[in-house]
């Protein structure tokens, strides 16, 4: 019941956040031409554009971009191999865990008749995918705090995202380790599937086998056991358990945890440690799901969308309604990676003027305030406008953006809108 209610609440919050984001994409105006276009018109134009693209030759372009830029992420690889490996490990490992493990009842079980989370290759793959994410998170922390990539800033949302991912992974490993050694988990499995409740000798034999071969820590049971007892337990295991349980050593991240806490496993089991870890793990997953539309991690959805949309749209021929929607989406697609800033032709002026809005990656954070009408101080707004006008149209930022954002087009739209609204030009307009 707890699991179901928590899942529904998380899905509800996620859905509300997603609807809010889509509504913003269809209502935010980034150009003067789009200000008079109603939301209904923008929604219908977007739907029409999607249908026309799918049933045209441009679908081949979408397929190409999906594999090269979304899956392989060639732009990230071209710029920074270390960052590419980090991104692939976190993104790839996490998505594989979601598809194979989190959605096991929807995807994995229907595809594989013999599926069980404790059976190979699924047992091994789950630990492998989790390890990939953990290695990727460690590399991200190393890059951010040790290598200190140029002009790479860290904000609270970056930290929340990394901490949440780490919590999901670590709690999952600890949960797996606690369940491997848990006597109550073993006993519940025997009661549910073994049918040995009243067969004391057979239960003793199976327990001896699981203590010896599967790492279970049982009360009042000590090794070594007689060979005949182990063989009897092995036969019972082969008949009742082997179809759903591979050797726990294949769980190469969880099994070492079980061995490390073997001496206190009974105390942890009596305290319900595996139950507490189960709640912690699933709550972290549900919080992550609910938080996704409001976090930086939302770019796992918006960045692929931006890449796909920009691959088939043209600023000169596309419907103005769709251009406005695309540009509103692009603000959400920015992952604040700093590639554009590192390649910016006027970025060096920042060292002299100290206005962060000169830097493309920072403009992507501040411009939404200007176009949304949020209250900003006169000094702050002047810095935003000044930074928006400072651009040489060199196209370098657009060329290296891993999210495929047409930054040059975005700067042009923003400064033209500000200029037409009568905001003074604080810098020489290139």
């Amino acid at each position: 019941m707890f699991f179901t209610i928590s899942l529904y609440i998380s899905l509800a919050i996620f859905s509300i956040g997603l609807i809010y984001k889509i509504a913003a994409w269809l209502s935010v105006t980034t150009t003067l031409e789009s200000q008079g276009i109603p939301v209904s018109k923008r929604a219908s134009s977007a739907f029409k554009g999607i249908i026309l693209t799918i049933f045209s030759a441009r679908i081949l372009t979408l397929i190409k971009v999906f594999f090269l830029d979304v899956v392989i992420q060639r732009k990230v690889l071209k710029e920074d191999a270390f960052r590419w490996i980090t991104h692939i490990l976190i993104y790839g490992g996490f998505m594989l865990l979601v598809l194979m493990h989190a959605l096991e009842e929807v995807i994995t079980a229907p595809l594989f008749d013999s599926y069980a989370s404790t059976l190979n290759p699924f047992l091994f793959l789950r630990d492998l995918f989790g390890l990939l994410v953990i290695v990727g998170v460690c590399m991200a922390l190393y890059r951010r705090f040790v290598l200190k990539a140029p002009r790479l800033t860290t904000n609270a949302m970056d930290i929340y995202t990394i901490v949440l991912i780490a919590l999901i992974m670590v709690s999952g490993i600890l949960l797996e380790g606690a369940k491997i050694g848990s006597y109550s988990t073993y006993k519940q499995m025997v009661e549910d599937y073994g049918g040995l409740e009243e067969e004391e000798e057979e239960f003793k034999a199976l327990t001896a086998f699981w203590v010896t071969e599967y790492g279970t820590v049982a009360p009042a049971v000590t090794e070594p056991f007689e060979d005949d007892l182990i063989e009897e337990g092995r036969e019972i295991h082969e008949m009742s358990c082997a179809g759903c349980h591979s050797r726990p050593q294949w769980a190469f991240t969880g099994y070492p945890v079980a061995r490390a806490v073997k001496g206190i496993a009974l105390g942890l089991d009596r305290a319900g440690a595996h139950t507490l870890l189960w709640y912690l793990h699933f709550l972290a997953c549900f919080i992550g799901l609910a938080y996704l539309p409001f976090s930086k991690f939302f770019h796992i959805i918006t960045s692929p969308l931006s890449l796909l949309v920009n691959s088939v749209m043209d600023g000169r021929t596309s419907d103005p309604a769709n251009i406005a929607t695309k540009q509103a989406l692009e603000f959400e697609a920015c992952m604040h990676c700093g590639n554009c800033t590192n390649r910016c032709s006027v970025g060096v002026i920042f060292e002299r003027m100290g206005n962060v809005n000169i830097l493309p990656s920072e403009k992507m954070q501040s411009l939404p305030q200007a176009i949304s009408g949020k209250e900003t101080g006169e000094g702050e707004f002047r810095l935003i406008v000044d930074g928006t006008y400072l651009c040489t149209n060199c196209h370098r930022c657009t060329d290296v953006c891993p999210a495929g954002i047409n930054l040059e087009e975005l700067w042009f739209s923003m400064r033209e809108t500000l200029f037409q609204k009568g905001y003074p030009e604080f810098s020489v307009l290139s």
Side-chain angles (χ1 to χ4, degrees):
M1 180 62 73
F2 170 83
F3 178 90
T4 304
I5 293 175
S6 299
L7 177 60
Y8 285 154
I9 292 175
S10 300
L11 287 173
I13 297 174
F14 173 83
S15 300
I16 292 170
L18 185 60
I19 291 171
Y20 172 79
K21 293 293 186 181
I22 295 174
W25 300 341
L26 295 173
S27 59
V28 170
T29 57
T30 57
T31 62
L32 291 177
E33 291 83 355
S34 65
Q35 289 183 355
I37 304 176
V39 173
S40 57
K41 166 64 176 170
R42 287 175 60 168
S44 62
S45 295
F47 180 75
K48 178 182 177 182
I50 293 171
I51 297 300
L52 291 177
T53 299
I54 291 175
F55 294 99
S56 71
R58 288 180 294 179
I59 188 65
L60 299 177
T61 301
L62 289 179
I63 295 173
K64 175 184 175 181
V65 170
F66 177 78
F67 282 104
L68 293 180
D69 294 323
V70 176
V71 177
I72 300 178
Q73 300 177 31
R74 60 178 173 176
K75 284 191 174 183
V76 179
L77 176 59
K78 183 178 180 181
E79 288 297 307
D80 186 340
F82 186 89
R83 180 170 173 263
W84 179 79
I85 295 173
T86 301
H87 211 256
I88 287 293
L89 290 176
I90 297 176
Y91 180 76
F94 201 86
M95 291 307 298
L96 288 170
L97 274 177
V98 169
L99 295 174
M100 188 200 77
H101 182 51
L103 300 177
E104 58 182 13
E105 294 184 3
V106 179
I107 297 177
T108 318
L111 288 176
F112 302 94
D113 294 336
S114 59
Y115 172 75
S117 62
T118 51
L119 193 65
N120 270 338
F122 314 106
L123 176 64
F124 171 78
L125 289 176
R126 183 177 67 242
D127 279 47
L128 175 62
F129 299 155
L131 181 63
L132 294 181
V133 177
I134 291 175
V135 172
V137 169
C138 291
M139 291 178 66
L141 292 172
Y142 177 77
R143 180 174 181 269
R144 187 172 294 272
F145 296 110
V146 179
L147 293 182
K148 296 181 179 179
R151 296 195 182 102
L152 187 63
T153 59
T154 300
N155 56 40
M157 186 173 289
D158 296 334
I159 296 174
Y160 295 157
T161 302
I162 292 175
V163 168
L164 189 58
I165 293 174
L167 179 60
I168 292 172
M169 295 298 108
V170 172
S171 63
I173 292 173
L174 294 178
L175 172 61
E176 184 175 57
K179 291 182 71 174
I180 288 173
S182 170
Y183 178 71
S184 62
T185 300
Y186 159 76
K187 190 175 181 181
Q188 186 65 51
M189 176 202 70
V190 174
E191 291 175 355
D192 290 342
Y193 304 105
L196 303 178
E197 296 85 346
E198 299 179 359
E199 303 292 338
E200 184 176 344
E201 292 301 319
E202 291 186 358
F203 178 75
K204 181 180 178 181
L206 182 62
T207 302
F209 177 80
W210 271 66
V211 168
T212 303
E213 302 291 336
Y214 276 72
T216 301
V217 180
V221 175
T222 56
E223 300 181 79
F225 301 105
E226 295 180 0
D227 292 342
D228 291 343
L229 186 64
I230 295 296
E231 285 305 314
E232 182 183 355
R234 189 187 307 277
E235 292 177 5
I236 298 171
H237 169 81
E238 293 294 335
M239 291 187 297
S240 304
C241 309
C244 295
H245 291 272
S246 296
R247 291 176 61 84
Q249 287 83 348
W250 286 104
F252 60 89
T253 59
Y255 187 72
V257 173
R259 302 302 296 172
V261 300
K262 182 178 180 180
I264 58 173
L266 287 175
L268 292 174
D269 194 34
R270 284 191 290 267
H274 62 283
T275 302
L276 293 174
L277 286 169
W278 185 91
Y279 279 109
L280 177 62
H281 181 65
F282 281 97
L283 277 176
C285 292
F286 293 151
I287 290 172
L289 175 62
Y291 181 53
L292 180 60
F294 311 98
S295 71
K296 179 184 177 181
F297 208 50
F298 192 53
H299 76 255
I300 65 172
I301 295 174
T302 52
S303 293
L305 282 177
S306 174
L307 284 163
L308 295 172
V309 167
N310 274 291
S311 69
V312 294
M313 284 188 64
D314 187 296
R316 293 167 295 180
T317 60
S318 297
D319 189 330
N322 286 336
I323 292 175
T325 302
K326 175 182 77 77
Q327 291 183 340
L329 165 66
E330 287 174 330
F331 282 115
E332 295 284 349
C334 176
M335 59 188 76
H336 204 220
C337 64
N339 279 6
C340 52
T341 287
N342 294 333
R343 290 298 188 91
C344 181
S345 297
V346 296
V348 292
I349 302 177
F350 167 72
E351 305 295 339
R352 178 71 176 175
M353 297 181 62
N355 180 4
V356 296
N357 295 285
I358 293 170
L359 308 176
S361 59
E362 306 311 311
K363 276 192 279 196
M364 289 297 289
Q365 312 299 311
S366 59
L367 278 177
Q369 299 180 36
I371 64 176
S372 65
K374 292 182 178 179
E375 290 293 331
T376 57
E378 182 178 348
E380 182 182 355
F381 187 74
R382 173 171 178 150
L383 291 174
I384 294 175
V385 175
D386 202 15
T388 304
Y389 281 133
L390 274 170
C391 176
T392 62
N393 299 327
C394 68
H395 213 268
R396 290 181 181 178
C397 55
T398 298
D399 289 339
V400 299
C401 178
I405 302 171
N406 192 329
L407 292 162
E408 184 184 30
E409 180 187 80
L410 198 58
W411 308 148
F412 185 80
S413 296
M414 292 296 99
R415 69 189 188 188
E416 283 297 305
T417 299
L418 293 170
F419 187 76
Q420 292 296 330
K421 285 185 175 181
Y423 290 113
E425 193 178 323
F426 299 115
S427 304
V428 176
L429 180 61
S430 61

